Each structure stands twice: as structure tokens, then as C-alpha cells.
């Protein structure tokens, strides 16, 4: 069954939206025909100009410049700390306004500024746009001023309390670090072995710095010259950095007994001595072939060793002597049969 129609124009007219329909009738479905405007019937109409195009083409010169500057400017999202940064920015703007007002007054009185005058003016911004005003840097430099003040007050009270309260006990190590000076010095890796350098370390340990230098001066060991250099460097650092050995410990001569049992006379308590000296094994410097019998080959490793020394003053020797005497007197006289209760006794023989 076919539908006989004169032309497609009549079909489009019959199914056009202008056709009236009753209320109880369903709207008729349009008959499937070819598209109303195929691409080969007519050309595309030019698109309507946008507002941006109108602003660029028809606007005045100032509007075009402002629009172009906005398009070329850097787009930034709002800061997540905007509520915290706003007071700082307001202070910065007030500071800048004061600076600008001062510049305007000076320029009004003295005329335009020269290049040298502009360069001499204080800079309020860095090259990347950061503010140099002190108020803007307060948050990063001192984020919590009240907590800092509380901490400083607490530490000051603690120091005063430990120094003045008779019932407060200052730690022993803290008291020694506060009242005595010392210096630890470590040499670079020396081209020698631990077995060879340890003899020189034992030779200078416990001696005064000057006596140790004399010992190394007349030593026949090859590394004695390196040990002399390290001792001199440690002595100079102790004098320059810690103020040791300046002759400010004149308190009268005193006979003390050292830990090894030898007696010595102490006059200047600021005189330096080698309290400790030890060696450390370092990395292998090189590996050389060692040809053996039957076509075998071993490797000879060239060792490296470092020398560490600790310099202290004779004041430390006096303190150690006094502590030993105090412990000895606190023990009391030796008793062959001390008076103590008898415990763990049996009623019968144990053999």
C-alpha cells in the first residue's frame, strides 16, 4: 500500500505545527521525510558575534587595552589562608601607602626623582613580588609569640631554680659541662695502620700538650709529624674557640694524685693536657697485587687510620682527685669482720 501525494511540500504542510487538534485527540506523529534543511540545499549562516569579539572590535582603545591586560595577566585562585593573610595584607598596604605618601610629598617639594634617588629608596618588595615589610614576615618568623614567651620564661625559671635552690640537684654531667672546658678533635684519614698509630696515641695520652709535642718531636715514627700537626691544631682551636689555656686558673699550687697513682703538682689550673687519645680504622686506600707461589695472587690492602684526641684543663684533674678522696673517706676504715647480721645459716654442715 502506497500513499499517493502530489509533492512533499503538501506532506510537510499537513504535518506542520500550525495544524489544530482537538483536546481529546492525540497529536499526530510527523511522517518521516527528508531533513528540512539538508546541507546541500543552503549554506550555513555565519555565527553571531560574541561579546568578547564585540568588545575587541567595536570598543574604544581603553577598553581594548584593559581587556587585553586581563587576558594576559596571571590567573590565581583565592588563597586557603585568606582570612589569616587579610590583616597582614592590610598592614602592608597601610605601610606602602605611608611610604607612597612620603614619596609624593618629597617629589612635590623636590621635583621628580633621579635614578640614583630611586635606587637609594628602601625596597618594600622582592624581585618575585614578596613583601619585605616586617609585619608581613611576623607570622613566618614568630608564628606563636605567646608560646615562645612562655617557653623562655619556663627555661629561665628552671635555670635560676637549679642555681639558687639548696634542695635542687643539678645533674652531674650538666654541672661539669657548665664549669669545665674540653675540646674533641679528630684528624683526617692518615696513610697508616691502627697497629702503628696506636703506639703514638698511648704515648701522648695523659701528658700535657707541651710534653706530648716534645715526645712527638724526638720520636722516630713516621706518623709522629702528623700527630704533632694534629696536636697543634687541636691546641689552637681550644684556645680560640673555648678559651682554654689562657693562664686564668692561678689558685695556688696543689698536690694531687692521678688515676694511675702518680702524684703531680698543679699550679695553673687552666693548663691543657691530653685527657683521651684513640684511633679509628678507616677505609682501604688501595689494593695492590701480592704474587704468591704456584701462580696464585693475593691482594694487599693499604689501610687508613684517624687519630682522635680530647683536650681538657688541669681543673678536671683536681675535681677527679677530690671526688676520689671523698669516696675513700666516705667508705670509712677497713674492718676485717664487719658488724652485720648473719643470714642464710644452716643448722648442719654442708660437706
Amino acid at each position: 500500500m502506497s500513499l499517493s501525494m502530489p509533492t512533499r511540500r503538501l506532506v510537510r504542510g499537513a504535518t506542520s505545527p500550525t495544524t489544530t487538534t482537538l483536546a481529546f485527540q492525540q497529536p499526530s506523529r510527523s511522517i518521516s521525510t527528508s531533513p528540512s534543511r539538508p546541507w546541500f540545499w543552503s549554506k550555513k549562516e555565519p555565527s553571531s558575534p560574541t561579546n568578547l569579539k564585540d568588545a575587541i572590535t567595536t570598543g574604544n582603545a581603553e577598553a581594548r587595552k584593559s581587556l587585553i591586560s586581563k587576558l594576559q595577566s596571571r590567573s590565581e585562585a583565592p588563597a586557603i589562608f585568606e582570612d589569616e593573610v587579610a590583616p597582614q595584607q592590610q598592614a602592608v598596604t597601610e605601610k606602602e601607602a605611608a611610604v607612597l605618601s612620603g614619596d609624593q610629598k618629597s617629589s612635590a617639594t623636590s621635583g621628580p626623582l633621579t635614578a640614583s634617588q630611586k635606587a637609594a629608596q628602601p625596597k618594600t618588595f622582592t624581585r618575585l613580588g614578596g613583601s619585605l615589610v616586617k609585619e608581613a614576615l611576623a607570622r613566618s618568623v614568630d608564628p606563636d609569640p605567646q608560646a615562645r614567651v612562655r617557653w623562655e620564661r619556663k627555661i629561665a625559671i628552671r635555670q635560676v631554680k637549679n642555681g639558687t635552690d639548696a634542695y635542687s640537684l643539678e645533674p652531674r654531667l650538666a654541672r661539669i659541662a657548665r664549669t669545665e672546658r674540653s675540646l674533641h678533635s679528630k684528624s683526617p684519614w692518615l696513610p697508616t695502620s691502627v697497629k702503628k698509630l696506636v703506639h703514638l696515641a698511648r704515648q701522648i695520652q695523659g701528658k700535657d700538650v707541651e710534653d706530648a709535642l716534645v715526645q712527638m718531636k724526638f720520636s722516630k715514627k713516621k706518623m709522629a709529624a702528623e700527630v704533632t700537626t694534629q696536636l697543634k691544631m687541636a691546641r689552637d682551636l681550644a684556645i680560640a674557640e673555648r678559651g682554654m689555656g689562657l693562664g686564668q686558673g692561678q689558685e695556688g699550687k696543689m698536690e694531687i694524685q692521678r688515676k694511675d697513682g702518680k702524684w703531680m703538682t698543679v699550679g695553673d689550673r687552666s693548663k691543657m693536657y691530653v685527657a683521651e687519645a684513640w684511633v679509628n680504622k678507616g677505609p682501604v686506600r688501595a689494593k695492590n697485587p701480592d704474587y704468591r707461589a704456584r701462580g696464585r695472587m693475593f691482594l694487599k690492602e693499604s689501610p687508613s687510620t684517624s687519630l682522635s684526641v680530647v683536650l681538657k684543663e688541669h681543673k678536671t684533674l683536681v675535681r677527679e682527685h677530690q671526688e676520689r678522696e671523698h669516696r675513700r673517706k666516705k667508705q670509712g676504715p677497713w674492718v676485717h669482720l664487719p658488724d652485720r647480721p648473719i643470714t642464710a645459716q644452716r643448722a648442719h654442715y654442708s660437706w
Side-chain angles (χ1 to χ4, degrees):
M1 181 177 180
S2 62
L3 180 62
S4 176
M5 289 291 175
T7 58
R8 295 175 179 175
R9 189 177 301 171
L10 295 177
V11 176
R12 285 197 298 270
T15 58
S16 62
T18 57
T19 306
T20 59
T21 57
L22 299 177
F24 61 89
Q25 293 179 350
Q26 295 292 335
S28 60
R29 184 172 60 87
S30 61
I31 301 176
S32 176
T33 60
S34 60
S36 61
R37 300 191 60 160
W39 62 273
F40 53 86
W41 284 6
S42 61
K43 298 181 180 180
K44 291 184 179 181
E45 296 181 358
S47 59
S48 60
T50 60
N51 297 332
L52 181 62
K53 186 176 181 181
D54 293 340
I56 295 177
T57 55
T58 62
N60 53 6
E62 295 181 358
R64 287 198 297 272
K65 290 181 180 179
S66 63
L67 182 60
I68 291 172
S69 64
K70 289 180 181 180
L71 292 176
Q72 293 179 352
S73 63
R74 181 179 175 183
S75 60
E76 296 181 356
I80 59 176
F81 302 107
E82 189 174 0
D83 54 343
E84 301 179 1
V85 178
Q88 302 293 343
Q89 290 181 350
Q90 184 178 2
V92 171
T93 52
E94 293 177 357
K95 198 87 172 181
E96 293 170 357
V99 172
L100 292 177
S101 62
D103 295 343
Q104 292 176 359
K105 291 180 181 179
S106 62
S107 61
T109 55
S110 61
L113 297 177
T114 60
S116 60
Q117 292 178 351
K118 291 182 180 179
Q121 286 183 349
K123 297 181 180 180
T124 57
F125 291 95
T126 61
R127 186 178 180 182
L128 300 178
S131 177
L132 295 176
V133 182
K134 184 178 180 181
E135 287 77 4
L137 301 175
R139 176 166 289 275
S140 59
V141 175
D142 194 3
D144 195 350
Q146 295 181 355
R148 176 181 56 80
V149 171
R150 289 196 300 268
W151 181 82
E152 292 178 353
R153 182 172 178 270
K154 178 181 177 181
I155 296 301
I157 292 175
R158 181 184 300 174
Q159 292 179 354
V160 173
K161 181 179 178 181
N162 292 338
T164 58
D165 190 2
Y167 296 97
S168 64
L169 297 177
E170 184 180 10
R172 178 175 175 272
L173 296 179
R175 175 174 54 82
I176 293 174
R178 179 175 55 84
T179 57
E180 299 177 6
R181 301 184 182 95
S182 64
L183 177 77
H184 170 247
S185 177
K186 182 180 179 181
S187 69
W189 300 116
L190 303 176
T192 184
S193 63
V194 173
K195 290 184 178 180
K196 296 177 182 179
L197 192 61
V198 71
H199 297 292
L200 299 178
R202 292 174 180 174
Q203 189 175 353
I204 65 175
Q205 184 178 4
K207 293 183 174 61
D208 295 343
V209 176
E210 302 301 331
D211 297 342
L213 290 175
V214 172
Q215 291 286 333
M216 293 297 102
K217 181 178 179 180
F218 294 98
S219 177
K220 296 181 180 180
K221 300 292 184 180
K222 183 179 178 181
M223 287 291 112
E226 296 291 341
V227 176
T228 302
T229 303
Q230 298 303 323
L231 280 176
K232 291 182 179 179
M233 291 177 59
R235 179 194 60 186
D236 298 342
L237 285 176
I239 295 173
E241 294 182 358
R242 308 297 172 85
M244 300 168 60
L246 298 179
Q248 299 178 358
Q250 301 290 348
E251 299 181 7
K253 294 184 179 182
M254 180 180 179
E255 291 287 337
I256 63 172
Q257 187 179 14
R258 303 188 61 164
K259 189 176 181 180
D260 55 0
K262 296 181 180 180
W263 289 84
M264 64 176 297
T265 304
V266 176
D268 183 9
R269 298 193 179 185
S270 65
K271 192 175 182 180
M272 290 183 290
Y273 76 101
V274 183
E276 302 176 29
W278 68 92
V279 295
N280 291 323
K281 185 178 180 180
V284 177
R285 294 183 291 112
K287 293 183 179 181
N288 300 321
D290 183 14
Y291 301 103
R292 307 302 296 269
R294 298 185 181 182
R296 293 178 299 175
M297 184 185 71
F298 295 163
L299 291 178
K300 290 183 178 180
E301 296 181 350
S302 300
S304 62
T305 314
S306 67
L307 174 67
S308 301
V309 295
V310 175
L311 302 185
K312 294 183 180 180
E313 296 178 334
H314 281 186
K315 184 178 181 180
T316 304
L317 294 177
V318 174
R319 176 185 58 81
E320 292 176 355
H321 169 72
Q322 293 175 353
E323 289 180 353
R324 285 192 296 269
E325 290 293 324
H326 177 69
R327 288 195 298 267
R328 185 179 61 82
K329 293 179 180 179
K330 188 177 180 180
Q331 290 178 356
W334 180 80
V335 180
H336 181 64
L337 296 176
D339 187 9
R340 60 174 179 263
I342 300 175
T343 59
Q345 296 293 319
R346 297 177 181 152
H348 52 81
Y349 294 107
S350 59
W351 62 80

